[in-house]
């Protein structure tokens, strides 16, 4: 039996969406509507700050942004609290963008991106101090 | 997640206690993942986490959704050049459908904060 490793139609659709988000025009829309050009989905900068407060993470903690898209809001939480960050998602375009944003925020030493399906995460139990999950599949 | 660790979840979902007909309409107006058999906070509870906070962010969601639609409309020419006409029209229609779902009370956006005890 062979395994089909091609991205699903849904994943391809999201790949195309993230190509648009990476364009200067897409970033301008996010900046104007959400408060920062790092954002995607419907989570504003103010809401990302509120999430950071609810999670209560800080330096030495590790945050998983599940279905991270462009790394939003995880990269913002990592930047503002000093926590470590792992961003997971399926569309490669999204994670390339997340990696760019992590670099722009100078978080390379404490943040990473990983292609992973939220239903089969490649982590053991008890690895993360907190998990955020915003507007996945929206 | 470690014991004591927290989950913060923002999600668009159908309003509670909808009729089957309204549920179907909500699913047609909302994102593809709308249509779970229970509210997000209930799914989180079923997963074994202790729900600490649930907040209805629908009003802010409507404002954000309308802002995205308007910003995209004001940059229509540039976005059509990048996205193509079909995608531009689909994306704007998605926002309009979402706003209609909110206006009809069918869609909401929720914040759920939970803890692993």
């Amino acid at each position: 039996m062979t395994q089909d490793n091609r991205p699903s139609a849904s994943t391809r659709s999201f790949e195309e969406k993230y190509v648009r988000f990476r364009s200067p025009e897409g970033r301008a829309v996010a900046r104007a509507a959400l408060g920062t050009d790092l954002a995607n989905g419907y989570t504003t900068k103010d809401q990302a700050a509120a999430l950071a407060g609810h999670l209560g993470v800080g330096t030495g903690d590790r945050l998983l942004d599940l279905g991270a898209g462009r790394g939003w809001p995880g990269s913002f939480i990592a930047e503002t609290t000093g926590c470590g960050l792992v961003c997971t998602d399926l569309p490669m375009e999204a994670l390339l963008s997340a990696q760019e944003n992590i670099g722009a925020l100078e978080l390379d030493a404490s943040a990473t991106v990983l292609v992973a399906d939220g239903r089969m995460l490649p982590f053991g139990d008890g690895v993360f101090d907190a998990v955020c999950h915003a507007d996945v599949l929206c | 997640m470690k014991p004591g660790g927290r989950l913060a979840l923002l999600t668009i979902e159908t309003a509670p206690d909808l009729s089957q007909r309204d549920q179907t309409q909500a699913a047609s107006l909302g994102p593809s993942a709308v249509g779970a058999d229970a509210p997000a906070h209930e799914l989180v509870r079923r997963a074994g986490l202790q729900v600490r906070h649930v907040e209805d962010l629908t009003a802010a969601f409507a404002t954000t959704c309308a802002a995205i639609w308007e910003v995209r409309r004001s940059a229509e020419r540039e976005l059509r050049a990048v996205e193509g006409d079909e995608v531009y029209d689909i994306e704007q229609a998605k926002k309009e459908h979402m706003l209609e779902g909110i206006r009809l009370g069918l869609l909401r956006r929720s914040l759920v904060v939970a803890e692993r005890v």
Side-chain angles (χ1 to χ4, degrees):
Chain A
M1 191 167 67
T2 59
Q3 185 176 357
D4 187 349
N5 289 321
R6 290 173 300 179
S8 67
S10 171
T11 300
R12 288 198 303 275
S13 165
F14 278 99
E15 294 277 10
E16 291 163 6
K17 174 176 147 181
Y18 285 108
V19 169
R20 299 197 299 274
F21 273 129
R22 289 180 77 190
S23 70
E25 294 81 2
R27 286 178 177 265
V29 170
R31 188 165 54 246
L34 300 169
T36 167
D37 62 0
L38 301 181
N40 55 260
Y42 297 95
T43 304
T44 63
K45 192 173 181 179
D46 289 346
Q47 288 170 348
L51 284 188
H54 282 295
L55 291 171
V57 287
T59 304
D61 290 329
R62 185 180 286 179
L63 170 67
L64 171 64
D65 189 343
L66 188 60
R70 301 175 60 222
W72 183 259
S75 58
F76 175 84
I77 296 171
E79 181 195 18
T80 54
T81 69
C83 72
L85 173 68
V86 177
C87 294
T88 64
D89 211 327
L90 286 174
M92 186 61 78
E93 277 293 336
L95 293 174
L96 287 171
S97 189
Q99 188 69 63
E100 285 175 6
N101 293 338
I102 284 168
L105 295 170
E106 300 182 349
L107 297 172
D108 311 71
S110 58
T112 189
V113 304
L114 187 67
V115 177
D117 189 325
R119 295 165 296 187
M120 296 178 290
L121 291 172
F123 309 113
D125 191 27
V127 170
F128 294 97
D129 299 280
V131 178
C132 65
H133 180 80
D135 301 317
V136 175
L137 298 177
C138 293
Chain B
M1 194 157 61
K2 295 174 183 173
R6 287 202 159 195
L7 164 74
L9 164 68
L10 281 166
T11 192
I12 300 165
E13 57 186 352
T14 57
D17 303 322
L18 295 182
S19 67
Q20 186 58 50
R21 181 181 168 190
D22 284 346
Q23 186 80 29
T24 302
Q25 188 179 7
S28 73
L29 293 172
S32 57
V34 163
D37 67 349
H41 65 85
E42 172 61 17
L43 297 176
V44 168
R45 190 191 65 76
R46 287 183 198 169
L49 301 179
Q50 186 93 45
V51 176
R52 299 293 190 199
H53 179 77
V54 180
E55 189 173 342
D56 181 359
L57 299 178
T58 308
F61 172 42
T63 301
T64 305
C65 197
I68 294 172
W69 186 93
E70 181 57 35
V71 169
R72 288 177 52 82
R73 191 201 57 77
S74 67
E76 179 174 349
R77 194 172 63 179
E78 295 87 346
L79 289 171
R80 283 189 184 278
V82 174
E83 301 177 345
D85 289 336
E86 183 182 4
V87 170
Y88 177 85
D89 291 336
I90 288 171
E91 288 299 316
Q92 289 300 85
K94 281 183 184 175
K95 307 294 180 288
E96 290 162 15
H97 292 160
M98 208 96 77
L99 286 165
E100 177 71 355
I102 296 167
R103 190 186 67 76
L104 293 171
L106 303 176
L107 293 174
R108 63 188 295 177
R109 188 166 186 258
S110 302
L111 165 65
V112 179
V113 180
E115 183 173 338
R116 180 178 178 185
V117 290

